[in-house]
Amino acid sequence: MNTLQNFAAPTGRFFLAIMFFMSGLTKISQYTATQGYMEAMGVPGFLLPLVILTEAVGGLAIILGWKTKYVAFALAGFSVLSAILFHADFSNQAEMTNFMKNIAIAGGFLTLFVHGAGAYSLDNRANQKSA
């Protein structure tokens, strides 16, 4: 069981975070359109660089298992905030699904916040060196 858990930890981190990493990169290539969408939803467009940084760097940090507890907590908050700001139209089934997806992702990040990165992570490696 321990071997399965060791491989499940990095796989789970990858599955949870790749969407954020890729989304951050996509926002760079579609900067103007993304900024327009944010402004249409009532979110100031000048926040886009912070969003890109949060998604791209935060996603990569989770994938690598670096500062996992801090980043997971931040991305959980980001996921809930984006659910509320962008997907709270419960009369639209697609938006309701996106809202619930973001809440579920926040739950995954809170689990990482509590339990840490697990095996095959930079956090684990740093803990082994300091022991």
Side-chain angles (χ1 to χ4, degrees), residues 11 20 27 40 76 108:
T11 304
F20 285 84
K27 283 177 175 63

Side-chain angles (χ1 to χ4, degrees), residues 44-62:
F46 71 83
L47 293 175
L48 183 53
L50 182 59
V51 170
I52 292 168
L53 182 69
T54 300
E55 288 184 338
V57 175
L60 184 60
I62 294 293

Side-chain angles (χ1 to χ4, degrees), residues 3-124:
T3 301
L4 180 59
Q5 289 174 332
N6 286 345
F7 286 104
T11 304
R13 289 194 323 266
F14 179 81
F15 286 167
L16 192 56
I18 190 64
M19 173 175 55
F20 285 84
F21 179 69
M22 296 303 297
S23 182
L25 297 181
T26 300
K27 283 177 175 63
I28 294 169
S29 66
Q30 299 175 0
Y31 195 93
T32 303
T34 303
Q35 188 176 38
Y37 174 71
M38 287 174 61
E39 289 171 350
M41 298 302 289
V43 178
F46 71 83
L47 293 175
L48 183 53
L50 182 59
V51 170
I52 292 168
L53 182 69
T54 300
E55 288 184 338
V57 175
L60 184 60
I62 294 293
I63 290 167
L64 297 174
W66 180 71
K67 303 291 184 186
T68 304
K69 290 188 174 199
Y70 299 112
V71 177
F73 189 76
L75 287 176
F78 180 85
S79 296
V80 170
L81 187 60
S82 62
I84 293 167
L85 292 173
F86 296 103
H87 305 298
D89 179 5
F90 300 132
S91 65
N92 180 329
Q93 183 62 44
E95 291 303 321
M96 172 67 110
T97 299
N98 281 324
F99 182 90
M100 296 307 296
K101 170 197 57 101
N102 281 31
I103 297 303
I105 291 167
F109 281 128
L110 289 175
T111 301
L112 275 178
F113 171 70
V114 171
H115 296 287
Y120 306 112
S121 66
L122 295 178
D123 290 345
N124 192 37

